[in-house]
Amino acid sequence: MTEPTGRPLIPASAPSMIERMTIVLESFDAASPRLSLAELVERTGLPRSTVHRILEKLVELRWLDHRSGTYGLGMRSLELGGLAVANNELRDVATPHLYALHQRTGLVAHLSILDRRDVVVLDKVGGAVAGTVPTRVGGRTPAHATADGKAILAWTDSRQVDAMYRERLPSRTPRTLTSLEMLRRELALVRQRGGVAWDREEAWAGVSTVAAPLRGTGRAIGALSVSGDARQVRFERLAPLVTEAAREASVALFPSEPKPRRRRTGLEPEPSPWPEGALDRLIEGIGGDYWL
């Protein structure tokens, strides 16, 4: 509930900690996806010291993120509630390519991002066949078990990957990679293929996926993929289609970057340039429980 000014309405009685946290979270809206400490104090009407303590705890618990002196809704807010997305640029750019991939392949298309050791689905397009793949918008699964995750991890700093996967990797199916050394070899192959990644029933029995990263010359900020019945997924046929969709989406995400020619890998029907330049955006997508 808010006042006519748009500020959260503070209960007449002294608010509990949960109410105070709610007041802080409700300060964010589509017009103000990021706010400074001073702005939050003004909007909530709470003491500055109280707001600061609440913000520190919300950031620690991933309800909010803190960067460049401002706060915004974090992954946990979006995972559990899907309340808002501070930056929809990635979805706005990628979604038309998902529809095109679905129409060209007849398979289920996904847009995913990396959140720590998991991939989170930001969008899914499948039409009548959507139910054949056990995924959902906001769903998450271990990155090492998916083509989407491997497409992103291949362009993540190797030291970060090593730190993320020090212990044995959890197995989803008998085909899942279960050691850091296996993952390292797989990511090297992904890079050799120019970013094309796949999984053969590694996340779910009977489902295979082909993915390509959304990236400049630095880290990948997400991935596009198509998934379907493992008996029908033909990697050699699908790789050029997914690669081209990811390339076009990347060009739209990096419009001012030079686009040099890239060496033909043998997977594409013709040479296709990847955009240069690094884009360090925090994509705040919708998350949720693990895919079962």
Side-chain angles (χ1 to χ4, degrees):
M1 183 179 299
T2 59
E3 298 176 347
T5 60
R7 289 173 52 183
L9 182 61
I10 301 176
S13 59
S16 66
M17 178 54 67
I18 292 177
E19 288 173 321
R20 292 175 182 176
M21 294 174 70
T22 301
I23 291 168
V24 171
L25 290 171
E26 287 182 342
S27 298
F28 299 92
D29 54 35
S32 306
R34 303 203 66 81
L35 296 167
S36 66
L37 172 60
E39 290 170 327
L40 285 164
V41 170
E42 172 65 22
R43 289 191 173 213
T44 63
L46 297 171
R48 183 183 180 91
S49 59
T50 299
V51 174
H52 189 260
R53 286 197 303 272
I54 292 174
L55 289 173
E56 287 186 331
K57 180 57 67 173
L58 290 173
V59 169
E60 177 185 340
L61 296 175
R62 297 172 54 245
W63 289 103
L64 296 177
D65 72 21
H66 182 211
R67 65 178 188 271
S68 302
T70 63
Y71 298 85
L73 291 178
M75 285 299 298
R76 178 166 288 185
S77 298
L78 302 172
E79 286 169 359
L80 298 182
L83 302 176
V85 177
N87 187 347
N88 278 322
E89 181 182 6
L90 185 58
R91 294 180 68 192
D92 290 343
V93 169
T95 295
H97 299 285
L98 295 184
Y99 280 97
L101 275 175
H102 168 59
Q103 292 173 355
R104 296 182 69 183
T105 66
L107 301 176
V108 180
H110 297 96
L111 165 66
S112 302
I113 61 169
L114 184 69
D115 178 34
R116 297 183 294 181
R117 288 168 50 126
D118 300 333
V119 286
V120 178
V121 175
L122 294 189
D123 207 351
K124 174 181 179 178
V125 176
V129 300
T132 63
V133 178
T135 59
R136 63 180 177 82
V137 173
R140 57 167 60 221
T141 199
H144 73 277
T146 69
D148 304 66
K150 288 185 282 189
I152 300 172
L153 288 172
W155 307 107
T156 301
D157 186 276
S158 59
R159 292 168 297 182
Q160 183 178 346
V161 173
D162 290 351
M164 292 166 61
Y165 295 101
R166 288 174 179 169
E167 65 272 10
R168 183 174 176 82
L169 310 184
S171 178
R172 300 268 301 187
T173 76
R175 295 176 178 266
T176 306
L177 304 178
T178 55
S179 72
L180 176 58
E181 186 56 38
M182 293 172 67
L183 180 60
R184 284 173 178 161
R185 290 197 297 266
E186 182 74 6
L187 298 184
L189 291 174
V190 172
R191 288 189 290 270
Q192 289 176 16
R193 293 192 293 264
V196 178
W198 49 65
D199 75 72
R200 296 178 171 90
E201 303 182 70
E202 295 169 41
W204 309 276
V207 177
S208 290
T209 301
V210 181
L214 300 171
R215 64 179 292 265
T217 56
R219 68 183 183 88
I221 62 171
L224 299 185
S225 67
V226 290
S227 303
D229 188 321
R231 296 168 298 181
Q232 300 175 353
V233 172
R234 298 292 180 266
F235 297 103
E236 293 76 11
R237 180 181 73 87
L238 295 171
L241 301 178
V242 179
T243 298
E244 181 65 12
R247 183 196 68 81
E248 291 177 355
S250 295
V251 169
L253 288 165
F254 302 90
S256 62
E257 301 296 339
K259 305 168 183 61
R261 296 178 63 85
R262 62 192 288 256
R263 183 171 58 85
R264 188 170 182 176
T265 65
L267 294 176
E268 301 87 356
E270 60 183 19
S272 57
W274 281 89
E276 290 280 328
L279 178 64
D280 190 22
R281 294 188 178 92
L282 174 64
I283 305 301
E284 296 170 314
I286 304 173
D289 298 332
Y290 279 92
W291 296 335
L292 300 177

